[in-house]
Amino acid sequence: MATTLFDKVWDSHVVRKIEDGPDVFFIDRHFIHEVTSPVAFLGLKNRGVDVLFPERTFATADHNTPTINQHLPVADPLSANQLKALEENSAKYGISHWGLGNPKNGIVHVVGPENGITLPGMTIVCGDSHTSTHGAFGCIAFGIGTSEVEMVLSSQCIMQPKPKKMRINVNGKLGKGVVPKDVALYIISKLTTAGATGYFVEYAGDVFENMSMEGRMTVCNMSIEMGARGGMIAPDETTFNYIKGREKAPSGEAWDKALAYWKTLKTDADATFDIEYTYNAEDIEPMITYGTNPGMGIGITHAIPTAEEVGGGKATYEKSLGYMGFAEGQDMIGKQVDYVFIGSCTNGRIEDFRDFASIIKGRKKADNVIAWIVPGSHIVEAQIREEGIYDILVAAGFELRQPGCSACLAMNDDKIPAGKYAVSTSNRNFEGRQGPGARTLLASPLVAAAAAVTGKVTDPRELLN
Amino acid sequence: MAYDKFEILKDSVVPLPIENVDTDQIIPARFLKATKREGFGDNLFRDWRYNSDDTLIRDFVLNNPIYKGKILVGGKNFGSGSSREHAAWAIYDYGFRCVVSSFFADIFKGNALNIGILPVTVSEAFLAEIFGEVEKDANTQVEVNLPAQTITILSTGSQESFAINGYKKHNLLNGFDDIDYLAAMKEDIKQFATASHY
Ligand code: SF4
């Protein structure tokens, strides 16, 4: 029978099928961080059970960490407590731990791929919804809750009903200034934040085939924002080239064997999906969000739609625009921006900083803007320096911070103040996500750069050569 | 973590007729710093319940004493956004055992079931009827019957069936969780792991 990439990976990981129940689903790799793991470890302790396969779990500190002065003790006692719990639990159970100050430390979904821990055909989970990022390698990867973290620690399995299958095709050539983040925001604006609930998505078409691994990670990362369990892209030469030579990637004979397997990981030509959508690359503009969910995005040159145009609940829509301080029909171009955040597991990789630098090079940071430039990992930070991007940042009046989740969820000190507008390359613009009362405009690194140098929402195409 | 068994719940409801209630609203990220699973109910819907100076926002439903009960009724697409299980803990810890909506976000639904909260998906019309009845009488009683998989508005007699998979139903009825199940099949899992690609 013809099967999809998703079927191939899913079916090969089912340990047991429970009648009228979920599948017992085997997990190859498990990432943990300081926020969603302590209670899971406490659960293990209370039950008196051990970690079944400690070598399959990897710990990194990221959600709660400061992005300046990481060499100093963490000031917030609650954060410090969580970091300590992660370190102690990892040591106790023999789990590899990249804590603060470790040269491999960084955001969980950035360090997994860059160290070759993430490999095609794996099943990967983490107590963070953007685990979907790893789908870029042809993995089934998704976020789980803390009870499930405990399940994976104790049994390397979780209970999962198999989701339905969706394929999203985007074909054609992306226009100038249109980058993977725009593709993701465009798809979500079409499907809405619940449009893919219950589905696992495969992205296909030449736009994704021609995309770099960084770009594919950005797209898969955002899958969760349309309600999908996750998203994946079939591995190809781009994938294999990215993986080759990374620290934990197979080498020698093991590489050849792995490669032969990876090449089988694709959807058969006659396989079918429960639902399929197709879009044209030419229709996608640089995108920006105007509301309080990631589905409320528009092409940057467009006006904020009316409640009638978007459909759905009018009261909810008005509440959202009220929070943002926007009104129906207003243009997004020219709106004042107070903060710019580039970073997160969505857009905190080297390519994102290259994009950012391409616009700010030879320009100056706008006086009214506070910019937080946060690499996704120490490895990304080192690349920023090596490639001369650091010098471009400094010459333009920007500072570089240290790696972490930072203003993506604002659990550390990087909070956007109430009422302020932030153009952010992260993934969520919910009320208060970037700090109580913060107003978030999600966008690509190019749009963020354009805002950072002009102090307002600006079409990046006007600043690109 | 063990939780109370769920069978039949008959109670008044707390109405929250807002769509797309995301988990950042249910429990804001700044309250995720705990290393224990306690006290989350105090911060349930924190920013809707309290002003920034910690004074009560009077017109938010949880602050209105006429609405009480173990059943929370929310608008469409309840629990979207972040995967934080803390959202479900906060709801449980506050005292809810059942959440009714016309649509639930996937992860929230899974998290809820794992910790002993029953998510009940009803039709849009049924949801509207609950909201309408509660508006007329805050003490409107709703009965959620897990064995029969039905939900009934007692004042009007309207009833709908809801779906739940047999495995989860069995767990809820008995107060079991998945970890208990998995612990019993450890040998099978070890064998499976030996044969896997990674
Ligand atoms: S950057 Fe944001 S989405 Fe990514 S892992 Fe950190 S908190 Fe989660």
Side-chain angles (χ1 to χ4, degrees), chain A residues 181-200:
Chain A
K181 181 66 163 288
D182 301 309
V183 177
L185 286 172
Y186 178 83
I187 295 171
I188 303 163
S189 76
K190 294 286 170 201
L191 283 181
T192 79
T193 53
T197 302
Y199 290 91
F200 209 98

Side-chain angles (χ1 to χ4, degrees), chain A residues 56-74:
Chain A
R56 291 177 182 270
T57 293
F58 297 82
T60 182
D62 56 2
H63 278 57
N64 226 334
T65 51
T67 53
I68 46 169
N69 294 327
Q70 289 186 348
H71 61 290
L72 297 178
V74 174

Side-chain angles (χ1 to χ4, degrees), chain A residues 281-312:
Chain A
E282 286 75 14
D283 295 340
I284 307 175
E285 264 199 283
M287 298 285 294
I288 193 156
T289 65
Y290 58 89
T292 54
N293 74 53
M296 300 172 83
I298 44 176
I300 196 161
T301 58
H302 291 236
I304 297 172
T306 61
E308 284 70 38
E309 283 164 334
V310 290

